[in-house]
Amino acid sequence: MNIEELLAEERHIEGLDLSGTALTDLLAAEPYVFKDCDLSGADLGEADLAGYVFEGCALGRTDFRGADLEGARFNGGGGATTRFGGAELTDAEFTSVDLSGAQFGNALLTDARFTGCRMIGAALGGSRGTSFSVSHSNLTLADLSGCSFRKQELDGIRFDEANLAACDFTGAVFTDCRLIRARLVGTKFARADLRGADIGEPDDGELRAFAGAVISPAQAAAVLAARGLTVL
């Protein structure tokens, strides 16, 4: 049975090598479950993938641009530079997925959730929608410029060296997070609780960006010590 016949007959696809395959025109109307499949470099652009499940799939360079992924679930797997530009990702869920270098420009991310994901160098700046949530994920070197985390509880996130320019963290609560050498130009931290964040030894520009935030006495002492002052 060839790939076209298999996709016409089955909705649960497991362990299949679909790398580099143009799949958009081969899919039936009902949602599929892809488990442990190799979708590296596959073309799913503009496809209707609402409600699909991708479990443990290789997704390096997979093209989801312009696809409808509303309510889709991604569990495990992943790969570098997956492309989600312009995709509909409302209520999509990513759990323990490698999204390093993934591209989300112009994607609709309203109520999308990222949990336990590796998102080093991912580009989410320029995405659309009201907000998305992230927890226990590595966003080192990621581009999050202009994204809103307003009033969110941010737990277990590494923002080290990330581009957080023009992000809105108003009223956000940070727990077990890191903000070492992040870019904070025009970033809002009004009423944010940074006591659970490692902010390192911020320079004067970074310190101004934290205006309006709450920090701990230990953090304040470290900031002053970096400037040659001793708190007794």
Side-chain angles (χ1 to χ4, degrees), residues 37-222:
C37 292
D38 187 350
L39 294 167
S40 302
D43 183 2
L44 288 153
E46 305 291 338
D48 182 358
L49 308 175
Y52 274 44
V53 175
F54 299 90
E55 184 174 343
C57 293
L59 301 173
R61 304 178 311 282
T62 306
D63 189 354
F64 290 106
R65 288 179 294 180
D68 181 356
L69 284 157
E70 182 173 359
R73 299 291 180 264
F74 293 81
N75 301 304
T81 62
T82 309
R83 292 173 286 177
F84 293 98
E88 161 70 75
L89 286 160
T90 298
D91 199 37
E93 186 171 305
F94 297 83
T95 305
S96 301
V97 184
D98 184 356
L99 294 168
S100 300
Q103 305 293 312
F104 290 91
N106 202 40
L108 184 61
L109 292 176
T110 298
D111 295 328
R113 296 173 296 284
F114 300 88
T115 305
C117 293
R118 188 173 189 267
M119 304 175 73
I120 298 172
L124 294 99
S127 58
R128 298 175 290 125
T130 51
S131 65
F132 58 90
S133 62
V134 183
S135 65
H136 299 94
S137 296
N138 189 344
L139 284 157
T140 299
L141 295 170
D143 178 10
L144 298 159
S145 54
C147 293
S148 175
F149 299 93
R150 190 179 182 90
K151 296 184 178 179
Q152 290 193 27
E153 296 188 7
L154 303 170
D155 190 2
I157 303 173
R158 296 191 65 166
F159 291 106
D160 295 351
E161 299 184 76
N163 181 6
L164 304 180
C167 284
D168 187 357
F169 291 100
T170 300
V173 178
F174 291 75
T175 303
D176 191 26
C177 293
R178 288 170 54 101
L179 286 159
I180 308 299
R181 294 186 297 278
R183 186 168 187 260
L184 303 177
V185 178
T187 311
K188 298 177 183 178
F189 286 97
R191 300 183 301 283
D193 188 343
L194 291 169
R195 289 175 293 179
D198 183 351
I199 60 175
E201 297 178 354
D203 60 28
D204 290 342
E206 292 167 338
L207 197 58
R208 284 192 294 272
F210 291 137
V214 176
I215 62 174
S216 69
Q219 288 171 314

